Structures are given as C-alpha cells and as structure tokens.
Amino acid sequence: MSLVALIYTSCPVQPMGAVELGHLLLQARLFNAQVQVTGVLLHDHNQFLQYIEGPAESIATVYQRICASNRHTEVRTLMREPIAERLFPDWQMGFAETAASVLQKLANHHWAEALSQAERRQPDAPALRVLREFWATHTAPSPAA
C-alpha cells in the first residue's frame, strides 16, 4: 500500500468554540478511522494546520471533503508527498489547541511525546519539519507581563 502525507492550512469562517471543535473532531475521527487516515490538527483560533497520512486514495477523499467544507476558507496545500511509514499511526485525529487552556496543557503533553517518537522514526521527514515549525511558533509561551 502506497502511503501519502498531506499538510494544509485554512482559516475558520467563524470562531470555533469547544462544542464546535468537539463536533468537528468527532466527525473527522470517525471518518478517518473508516478510510484508514491518521494525523493531527492544530488550531490557534485564527488558523488550522492539519497533517494527514494514509493510503493515497484515502488522502484524496479526505482532502476533497476538507476543501468542500463550509467551516473554513483559504485552504492551502503546504505539502503532499509519499511517505515510507506513518508518523502518527495511532491517531485518527490528534488535536492541539494552542490557546492558553487546560486542553492545551493536556494536548501538549501527548503531542510532545508523539512528536518525539515520530522524530526517532523519521528525523528528516519534510512533513515533520513543517509540523515542528508550526508547533514552535504557535505554542511558544508568551513573555511574562
């Protein structure tokens, strides 16, 4: 089976609260499990960055669905490339909210662990560099006031 990784960014049409994000994640996780897609979604209130990986046909199906969604706009593909193995084999849709919240603290713990494991498996993966850069930029602690 040929695996592909895809990274894209988009902007929410309107701000998404916890309920809307929860609904989005539930739908994504259920659909992704059916089509054997894994990945992670990062959100910073103004932008989404999503990394998905799986069989080429499944990635095409999921991405078409994403592009057709009315929840966001300005969908922009950052990268699409074949991969040898999955970076996030156990995550139908990992999630990290990059705002200062309890959810972020919990998500950061799991994200840091998963990122560390992925880096050990594929240290030079271009997709991993994009994720690492986004993560560092959007989750850096703000300076004390």
Side-chain angles (χ1 to χ4, degrees), residues 5-7 40 42 49 51 53 79 81 83 85-88 111-136:
L6 183 135
I7 299 177
V40 63
L42 304 177
L49 181 138
Y51 168 90
E53 59 192 10
M79 185 220 65
E81 67 181 26
I83 55 173
E85 65 183 281
R86 293 174 190 260
L87 294 175
F88 302 99
W111 170 255
E113 181 180 323
L115 189 58
S116 174
Q117 290 172 5
E119 287 173 334
R120 283 193 298 273
R121 287 196 310 270
Q122 294 186 37
D124 298 325
L128 201 51
R129 284 194 302 272
V130 171
L131 286 170
R132 193 179 314 117
E133 182 181 314
F134 181 89
W135 187 257

Side-chain angles (χ1 to χ4, degrees), residues 1 3 24 33 54 61 66 78-79 89 91 98 100 124 134:
M1 171 180 13
L3 295 175
L24 172 77
T61 299
I66 288 165
L78 300 179
M79 185 220 65
W91 289 20
T98 61
D124 298 325
F134 181 89

Side-chain angles (χ1 to χ4, degrees), residues 5-12 16 24-25 28 32 37-43 47-53 59 61-69 71-81 93-95 127 130-131 134:
L6 183 135
I7 299 177
Y8 76 90
T9 59
S10 68
C11 297
M16 297 183 87
L24 172 77
L25 289 169
N32 289 355
V37 167
T38 56
V40 63
L41 176 68
L42 304 177
H43 178 246
Q47 181 178 349
F48 288 107
L49 181 138
Q50 186 170 23
Y51 168 90
I52 54 176
E53 59 192 10
I59 293 299
T61 299
V62 169
Y63 197 53
Q64 286 172 350
R65 199 174 135 116
I66 288 165
C67 290
S69 172
R71 292 181 180 143
H72 55 159
T73 186
E74 300 178 43
V75 179
R76 188 173 56 130
T77 304
L78 300 179
M79 185 220 65
R80 185 184 189 282
E81 67 181 26
M93 186 47 54
F95 176 72
V130 171
L131 286 170
F134 181 89

